[in-house]
Amino acid sequence: MAYIEPAPIKDKENPLESMMERFHIAAEKLGLSEEIYNVLKNPAKQVIVSLPITMDNGKIKVFEGIRVIHSNILGPAKGGIRFAPDVHLDEVRALAAWMTWKCAVVDIPYGGGKGGVRCNPREMSAGEIERLVRAYTLAMIDVFGPDKDIPAPDMGTGPREMAWLMDEYSKAHGMTVNAVVTGKPLVLGGSLGRTEATGRGVMVTALAAMQKLKINPFQATCAVQGFGNVGSWASLLLEERGLKIVAISDISGAYYNADGINIQEAIAYRDSNKGTLENFKGAEKLADAMDLLELEVDVLVPAAVEDVITIANADRIKAKLIVEGANGPTSAKADAILNDKGIMAVPDILANAGGVTVSYFEWVQNRLGYKWTAERVNRRSDRIMKDAFDHVYEASIKYQVPLRIAAYIVAIDKVAKTYTYRGGF
Ligand code: GLU
């Protein structure tokens, strides 16, 4: 019998608690009133659906689908959909709130949302995934909308899934509604530059931080955890800017080469090898993939999953700078250890906001019925990311806090002020 499996209990810090701890510290520094604190603390809406899907073997399997809208104070909710075997409500709630703060940090007119479906896309056929995406979309038909809640890719989903989502939503409305989702294939109204956007933002904020730390990119070494969309693009673009990428990793393990890994080669290898770096010859495999995080490098880019830098390893991190490509890679308890060691961390809600920034451009282009050049997309997103970095850096000096708390302060302040103008009941 196939029951909906209960969410596994993680032997890690809860991402929601990690998010709330930072929110709390920033709110106190900012002197946020208790009333507004309570408004921003809770998600505005949480929807959980049950999705029965006929699998290829003819059997019906029931999946759980979640969508959380944390806030729509700044505008329609925005955020990706995660397909993963262990996704659970608390994680989606944290990720939704991070989207609120992220959109506010880069000053784009969106609230925050996130979706999750507990499934293992690696073990499903394209047909099964398509049926699941369509069922999820239909179940969320009143939640989604170009002026209400705009999904996008996240772990386990990409342009293909966004195309199915757009098609199902459009069919239900009897017209093409391409602005309901971002991260679409180019021919369906996707934006040039969207694929590399998150990695590009990681590169822009990394270079801005390196300038503050007086690290010369041409003499710097870098390790990147995760070689999916974000990690591979960040590696490639940082390599292009002069950094030597000495280590990369994915689910098959971590690969190290003191002379630098040729990232073009690694990407080509991954693409020809069913999406993994397994048996990659351009580097040596580390005995333990987690050792990548503890390498003696100038820059560390965690670009895989949440909760990888924790109290269990934070004191062994040797990088001078951490740039968070993933959402929530550092647990709240690890923050203090990194701060004591004088390690600068460009937080996720700033470092990986390039993706949602170009999602915003995609939505704008869809609504205009127009297409921008890659040059325009990149120029505008680079400027937004650099301005956001400078703004957060200034706040960190003004409030005498690390960049992470400064980013929360900038974000919470913006959302709180907007709420105060809009008013409640
Ligand atoms: N999933 C991405 C993120 O976490 C992109 C979200 C979006 O483009 O809406 O930022």
Side-chain angles (χ1 to χ4, degrees):
M1 283 211 282
Y3 296 120
I4 295 182
E5 299 121 49
I9 306 294
K10 281 195 178 175
D11 180 26
K12 284 181 171 180
E13 281 176 46
N14 179 313
L16 186 62
E17 283 164 19
S18 265
M19 190 280 297
M20 285 308 298
E21 249 181 86
R22 279 82 169 246
F23 170 64
H24 191 92
I25 299 170
E28 269 187 341
K29 289 268 176 204
L30 197 58
L32 191 71
S33 77
E34 198 184 323
E35 286 126 302
I36 309 258
Y37 180 92
N38 287 333
V39 171
L40 303 184
K41 177 176 94 173
N42 294 309
K45 187 190 271 192
Q46 306 177 67
V47 184
I48 301 180
V49 292
S50 166
L51 307 166
I53 303 296
T54 305
M55 306 303 277
D56 291 348
N57 63 8
K59 295 227 160 45
I60 292 172
K61 192 167 173 192
V62 184
F63 295 87
E64 184 182 271
I66 303 170
R67 185 74 182 170
V68 174
I69 293 182
H70 170 260
S71 163
N72 44 24
I73 293 169
L74 293 185
K78 186 84 192 79
I81 299 169
R82 178 168 291 195
F83 276 17
D86 56 356
V87 68
H88 57 99
L89 182 61
D90 270 1
E91 181 184 6
V92 180
R93 285 169 59 143
L95 288 160
W98 276 323
M99 286 308 302
T100 303
W101 312 137
K102 198 183 294 188
C103 294
V105 165
V106 285
D107 202 15
I108 57 178
Y110 287 142
K114 200 81 176 196
V117 177
R118 199 175 322 131
C119 65
N120 189 349
R122 286 178 184 273
E123 287 172 3
M124 292 166 73
S125 71
E128 289 169 343
I129 296 175
E130 175 173 357
R131 293 195 286 283
L132 187 55
V133 170
R134 290 188 185 276
Y136 178 75
T137 307
L138 218 47
M140 298 293 175
I141 207 79
D142 294 327
V143 178
F144 296 154
D147 291 303
K148 293 202 299 199
D149 178 20
I150 308 142
D154 196 74
M155 273 164 53
T157 62
R160 181 182 71 164
E161 286 73 19
M162 301 307 113
W164 290 327
L165 193 156
M166 181 206 122
D167 182 68
E168 196 62 33
Y169 185 91
S170 296
K171 274 187 190 136
H173 288 81
M175 59 184 169
T176 295
V177 191
N178 57 9
V180 70
V181 59
T182 62
K184 299 180 291 292
L186 264 183
V187 285
L188 287 188
S191 177
L192 288 165
R194 176 63 185 85
T195 311
E196 59 269 45
T198 311
R200 193 174 171 93
V202 168
M203 178 271 288
V204 171
T205 52
L207 290 188
M210 288 167 75
Q211 203 173 21
K212 300 285 181 203
L213 294 173
K214 302 199 167 35
I215 300 174
N216 178 351
F218 290 94
Q219 282 160 10
T221 54
C222 175
V224 180
Q225 184 194 42
F227 210 63
N229 174 280
V230 181
S232 60
W233 275 105
S235 303
L236 189 69
L237 295 169
L238 286 169
E239 186 191 45
E240 266 177 34
R241 298 301 187 283
L243 284 86
K244 192 193 281 180
I245 314 296
V246 293
I248 54 176
S249 72
D250 71 0
I251 49 159
S252 72
Y255 304 84
Y256 176 77
N257 183 342
D259 296 328
I261 294 170
N262 182 326
I263 300 300
Q264 291 269 19
E265 255 173 51
I267 291 174
Y269 180 80
R270 175 201 65 188
D271 292 347
S272 67
N273 190 43
K274 297 197 188 91
T276 93
L277 291 166
E278 184 84 68
N279 295 322
F280 176 57
K281 295 282 178 284
E284 255 171 59
K285 194 167 178 171
L286 296 179
D288 182 348
M290 287 297 278
D291 290 348
L292 176 143
L293 299 168
E294 299 170 23
L295 290 170
E296 192 109 25
V297 288
D298 297 296
V299 184
L300 175 64
V301 179
V305 289
E306 55 253 37
D307 246 343
V308 293
I309 300 174
T310 64
I311 42 171
N313 60 1
D315 60 340
R316 293 194 301 273
I317 305 258
K318 296 173 198 74
K320 300 185 185 85
L321 171 67
I322 298 173
V323 187
E324 297 183 342
N327 290 311
T330 308
S331 76
K333 302 222 171 6
D335 280 350
I337 303 173
L338 299 180
N339 293 338
D340 284 349
K341 286 171 67 97
I343 299 173
M344 180 188 271
V346 183
D348 45 7
I349 56 173
L350 169 62
N352 72 36
V356 75
T357 299
V358 178
S359 273
Y360 167 56
F361 294 164
E362 179 174 332
W363 179 83
V364 168
Q365 292 170 76
N366 292 158
R367 309 205 95 188
L368 289 171
Y370 190 64
K371 260 187 183 307
W372 294 357
T373 60
E375 197 269 329
R376 173 176 287 197
V377 170
N378 289 341
R379 183 166 31 86
R380 291 188 174 184
S381 67
D382 288 358
R383 191 177 60 214
I384 286 184
M385 293 304 292
K386 179 67 174 54
D387 287 353
F389 178 89
D390 290 343
H391 198 175
V392 168
Y393 193 83
E394 278 161 27
S396 83
I397 291 173
K398 178 171 168 199
Y399 290 91
Q400 289 296 298
V401 291
L403 289 181
R404 184 183 314 281
I405 299 302
Y408 275 78
I409 288 178
V410 167
I412 294 170
D413 189 39
K414 171 140 200 247
V415 182
K417 280 193 177 124
T418 311
Y419 180 80
T420 310
Y421 275 117
R422 290 183 71 158
F425 288 102

